[in-house]
Amino acid sequence: QMPGHTAISMYDMACVQTGFMGAVTILPQKFGLHTSSQNLEDYVFFWRCVGYQLGISDRFNLCSLGKATSDRIVWEVIEQVVLPDIASPPTDYLH
């Protein structure tokens, strides 16, 4: 690691991946998507490939095991990361 730089972990990358693709796959109707289950599976596969191209190993790529597994992981990230962070924002957070 270079001085003055912060490493991005696979965990961090998976959380970011969740932010880009997760909400659309767990609540597609809320985004105006009325599509088939197969299209959503294909969308998750697309994000598996994007994650791979960004360097997320299959072990940490939340899309590696298909939509059902990625949906469970997305909800887990929401419940264990996003909501607690919203409830306790950093002191220097600007409202």
Side-chain angles (χ1 to χ4, degrees):
Q1 186 171 343
M2 295 174 50
H5 291 83
T6 303
I8 299 174
S9 70
M10 288 290 117
Y11 172 81
D12 295 333
M13 294 287 284
C15 286
V16 170
Q17 185 181 29
T18 300
F20 279 103
M21 56 71 60
V24 172
T25 63
I26 61 172
L27 299 168
Q29 294 80 13
K30 298 284 185 184
F31 292 87
L33 297 176
H34 301 280
T35 189
S36 69
S37 295
Q38 184 59 53
N39 281 344
L40 290 172
E41 286 283 353
D42 293 345
Y43 183 74
V44 169
F45 181 78
F46 167 79
W47 275 100
R48 177 185 183 184
C49 297
V50 170
Y52 177 83
Q53 292 296 318
L54 292 173
I56 303 174
S57 68
D58 283 342
R59 181 172 167 222
F60 293 97
N61 189 329
L62 68 114
C63 297
S64 289
L65 298 175
K67 184 179 179 312
T69 300
S70 73
D71 284 355
R72 285 192 299 274
I73 296 169
V74 168
W75 281 114
E76 188 175 316
V77 169
I78 290 169
E79 292 167 359
Q80 294 182 14
V81 178
V82 176
L83 294 178
D85 285 354
I86 289 171
S88 300
T91 55
D92 59 344
Y93 182 77
L94 300 176
H95 293 276

